[in-house]
């Protein structure tokens, strides 16, 4: 940054600190003091936000409130919320669709290269075959992963056994559904 650009960033309240005989050095002094003030303000903001976060983490939840939130009736896990279920299913569907589309495209490319029928087909027919395989695999994987995440959320609501056991249970139930 040139001295001209720096002088344009000096606030009017600090212009009177710049004297005529040592103009350049006094401008540098004002500019550095402004940088120091800005860094101190930034440090204060980050320390106050850290203190707020620590205060939020250390909040005391009365046992009465916690007993109301968990352990109602048959379900001993987290509270059921439809937006959380839909969010989990949407996440699984998106990840599954992307994975399935890539898998379907790669499988279609391999099959198109090995097939005697597709070797003689036109490029448009090969492209149509690739898109059919890509969309079919993407939809299948999307439904599977969406169901997996719905089962995982259901296990969390029912028992909340922990992340590992949620994945093991949802994986076993998902694989049983395929078989």
């Amino acid at each position: 940054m040139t001295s001209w650009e720096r002088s344009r960033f000096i606030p009017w309240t600090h212009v009177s600190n710049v004297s005529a005989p040592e103009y350049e050095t006094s401008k540098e002094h004002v500019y550095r003091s402004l940088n120091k003030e800005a860094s101190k303000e930034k440090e204060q903001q980050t320390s106050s936000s850290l203190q707020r976060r620590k205060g939020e983490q250390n909040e005391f939840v009365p046992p009465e409130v916690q007993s109301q939130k968990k352990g109602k009736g048959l379900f001993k896990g987290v509270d059921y919320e439809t937006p959380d279920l839909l969010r989990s299913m949407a996440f699984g569907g998106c990840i599954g669709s992307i994975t399935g589309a890539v898998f379907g495209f790669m499988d279609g490319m391999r099959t198109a290269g090995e097939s005697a029928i597709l070797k003689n087909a036109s490029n448009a027919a090969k492209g149509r075959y690739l898109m059919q395989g890509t969309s079919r695999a993407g939809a299948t994987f999307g439904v599977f992963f969406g169901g997996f995440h719905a089962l995982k959320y259901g296990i969390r609501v029912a028992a909340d056994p922990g992340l590992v056991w949620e994945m093991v249970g949802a994986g076993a139930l998902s694989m049983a559904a395929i078989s």
Side-chain angles (χ1 to χ4, degrees), residues 3-55:
S3 60
W4 169 253
E5 291 170 337
R6 278 189 228 149
S7 67
R8 297 188 69 199
F9 292 113
I10 296 175
W12 286 104
T13 56
H14 293 288
V15 170
S16 61
N17 297 342
V18 178
S19 60
E22 299 173 0
Y23 185 70
E24 288 298 320
T25 55
S26 58
K27 269 196 327 189
E28 285 295 322
H29 177 70
V30 168
Y31 183 69
R32 287 186 181 142
S33 67
L34 288 172
N35 281 338
K36 285 179 185 177
E37 288 175 15
S39 64
K40 284 180 185 177
E41 286 178 11
K42 192 179 282 188
E43 286 176 13
Q44 289 173 352
Q45 287 175 351
T46 55
S47 65
S48 65
S49 66
L50 286 174
Q51 288 174 352
R52 273 187 266 130
R53 284 188 207 147
K54 286 180 182 177

Side-chain angles (χ1 to χ4, degrees), residues 50-77:
L50 286 174
Q51 288 174 352
R52 273 187 266 130
R53 284 188 207 147
K54 286 180 182 177
E56 290 171 0
Q57 290 173 354
N58 295 333
E59 282 184 356
F60 173 73
V61 178
E64 301 84 30
V65 173
Q66 193 153 2
S67 66
Q68 289 175 356
K69 288 188 125 184
K70 290 191 177 196
K72 287 191 246 177
L74 177 65
F75 300 119
K76 307 242 184 276

